[in-house]
């Protein structure tokens, strides 16, 4: 079986790449050549800029694929380009959308593929919806063999999963926890959330590849485990061997007092309690089971980050912003007491 990945070295796609090689797929990655040192032996690379359509068209001449997937398509124009490049060359085209596209605020905390798509808070999510609409119209009108994949919060060993962090990633929050500083957690920390390790995501994704029953379908891929945000942060602190000092702040307030995109990432996503119903995925991939428990995955990730200096990217600006928010709220408490 032959597959083409547009991207292929990100958080989600790298785990899939490694699993496909183990299963004997002939895999081509089209990207700019980043992270090639981490690729398993046997992966074939097509070094190109996907935005250079004419160059990519030349490199695809004479090639066909059982499956192609775009991991880096965010707006419909990019999917229009993919269609022009791959029409007649692929038996299944898989697109990575997002569970953040589901209805916000949620009318039900139980989320399935039947949940409406509508997110007025986050442009990223609205663009994903538009991409889905475009691809499904191609399927209905022309039979273009589309499968939509909706991941939620998927993580790997390089980035600790969090709700509130700065533009440079999660390490600065981990550093605050380790140093015993108060750490901002959105809301009261009791919101329900699902974390999915990329190794589990890969198992489900590969089960949907070249799966005739997945064509024309949208499928969400998440773990079945549900935890609170407080539990997530407690797992980080436990791995570091320190006491967590949580500082709970309303998501709306965080969105209003920062230039970080908390309106989208919190109000439009992580502040909503959700439990995912994966029954459709399990009908399509009957042997799928997510086996990486949250506490185990977080422990592995924290240990990896703390032992790899290249993952320890400090963010002094975000650190200072956290201190200012906490100081302002403490002053407000004193003024009102």
């Amino acid at each position: 079986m032959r597959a083409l990945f547009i991207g292929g070295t990100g958080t989600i796609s790298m785990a899939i790449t490694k699993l496909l090689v183990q299963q004997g797929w002939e895999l081509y990655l089209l990207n700019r050549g980043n992270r090639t040192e981490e690729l398993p032996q046997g992966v074939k690379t097509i070094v190109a800029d996907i935005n250079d359509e004419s160059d990519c068209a030349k490199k695809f001449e004479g090639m066909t694929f059982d499956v192609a997937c775009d991991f880096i398509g965010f707006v419909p124009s990019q999917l229009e380009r993919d269609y022009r490049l791959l029409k007649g060359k692929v038996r299944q085209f898989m697109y990575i959308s997002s569970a953040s596209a589901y209805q916000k605020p949620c009318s039900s905390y139980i989320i399935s593929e039947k949940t409406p798509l509508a997110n007025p808070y986050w442009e990223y999510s609205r663009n994903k919806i538009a991409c889905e609409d475009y691809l499904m119209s191609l399927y209905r009108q022309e039979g273009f063999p589309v499968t939509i994949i909706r991941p939620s919060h998927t993580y790997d060993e390089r980035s600790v999963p969090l709700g509130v962090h700065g533009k440079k990633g999660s390490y600065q929050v981990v550093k605050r926890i380790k140093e015993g500083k108060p750490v901002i957690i959105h809301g009261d920390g009791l919101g329900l959330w699902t974390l999915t390790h990329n190794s589990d995501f890969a198992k489900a994704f590969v089960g949907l590849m070249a799966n005739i029953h997945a064509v024309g379908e949208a499928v969400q891929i998440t773990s079945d485990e549900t935890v609170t945000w407080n539990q997530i942060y407690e797992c980080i602190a436990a791995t570091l061997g320190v006491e967590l000092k949580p500082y709970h702040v309303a998501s709306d307030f965080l969105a209003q007092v920062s230039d970080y995109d908390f309106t989208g990432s919190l109000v439009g996503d992580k502040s909503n309690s959700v439990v995912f119903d994966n029954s459709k995925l399990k009908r399509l991939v009957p042997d799928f089971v997510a086996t990486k428990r949250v506490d185990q995955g977080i422990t592995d990730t924290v240990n990896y980050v703390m032992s790899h200096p290249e993952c320890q990217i400090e963010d002094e600006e975000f650190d200072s912003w956290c201190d200012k928010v906490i100081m302002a709220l403490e002053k407000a408490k004193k003024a009102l007491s």
Side-chain angles (χ1 to χ4, degrees), residues 24-295:
W25 280 69
E26 181 183 1
L27 177 60
Y28 292 81
L29 303 187
L30 189 150
N31 55 43
R32 296 178 179 179
N34 298 324
R35 293 188 72 191
T36 54
E37 70 282 354
E38 300 180 39
L39 292 176
Q41 188 175 3
V43 174
K44 301 177 182 181
T45 57
I46 303 173
V47 179
D49 181 351
I50 187 61
N51 297 307
D52 188 342
E53 187 172 337
S54 61
D55 180 53
C56 290
K58 291 177 183 177
K59 291 179 176 177
F60 288 162
E61 285 181 1
M63 300 185 74
T64 59
F65 305 96
D66 295 288
V67 181
C69 181
D70 190 340
F71 289 92
I72 54 175
F74 298 101
V75 294
S77 61
Q78 295 169 323
L79 278 301
E80 293 168 6
R81 171 207 62 209
D82 292 350
Y83 175 64
R84 290 191 296 267
L85 286 169
L86 294 170
K87 181 181 180 182
K89 291 179 175 291
V90 63
R91 296 175 61 188
Q92 181 188 27
F93 179 81
M94 303 177 75
Y95 173 62
I96 303 296
S97 183
S98 171
S100 69
Y102 286 124
Q103 179 188 56
K104 303 295 185 307
C106 305
S107 59
S108 170
Y109 73 95
I110 299 175
I111 304 297
S112 75
E113 291 82 359
K114 295 180 181 179
T115 301
L117 303 181
N119 192 332
Y121 303 103
W122 206 0
E123 184 181 12
Y124 165 82
S125 305
R126 294 193 296 275
N127 285 335
K128 288 291 189 179
I129 295 170
C131 288
E132 287 198 29
D133 288 343
Y134 170 72
L135 289 172
M136 291 309 294
S137 70
L138 288 179
Y139 170 71
R140 297 187 188 101
Q141 297 169 17
E142 302 184 24
F144 189 60
V146 172
T147 299
I148 305 293
I149 306 296
R150 296 177 187 147
S152 185
H153 197 158
T154 308
Y155 69 105
D156 67 3
E157 74 281 1
R158 296 171 299 161
S159 181
V160 181
L162 295 168
V164 179
H165 60 78
K167 298 174 182 177
K168 296 183 180 181
S170 60
Y171 174 70
Q172 191 65 48
V173 179
V174 176
K175 187 170 184 284
R176 287 182 70 91
I177 295 173
K178 185 174 178 60
E179 293 175 350
K181 300 176 73 174
V183 175
I184 294 175
I185 301 177
H186 61 279
D188 58 8
L190 297 177
L192 302 177
W193 197 243
T194 297
L195 298 177
T196 307
H197 195 269
N198 67 344
S199 60
D200 283 328
F201 185 95
K203 292 184 291 186
F205 185 94
V206 171
L208 294 170
M209 293 178 67
N211 184 329
I212 60 172
H213 303 293
V215 174
E217 299 287 348
V219 187
Q220 61 191 26
I221 298 178
T222 78
S223 168
D224 289 323
E225 184 180 12
T226 303
V227 293
T228 68
W229 283 103
N230 286 336
Q231 288 175 313
I232 291 170
Y233 282 79
E234 287 284 1
C235 287
I236 298 169
T239 302
L240 294 170
V242 299
E243 178 187 356
L244 178 67
K245 296 182 179 178
Y247 199 93
H248 296 106
V249 183
S251 298
D252 285 341
F253 181 82
L254 291 171
Q256 292 171 22
V257 299
S258 80
D259 57 2
Y260 302 107
D261 188 18
F262 292 142
T263 298
S265 66
L266 292 182
V267 181
D269 193 25
K270 296 180 179 68
S271 68
N272 296 266
S273 283
V274 292
V275 175
F276 289 94
D277 174 0
N278 289 308
S279 56
K280 182 175 184 178
L281 171 63
K282 292 175 182 178
R283 287 196 303 272
L284 295 170
V285 188
D287 60 349
F288 170 67
V289 179
T291 56
K292 181 70 79 170
R293 212 171 60 207
V294 165
D295 56 337

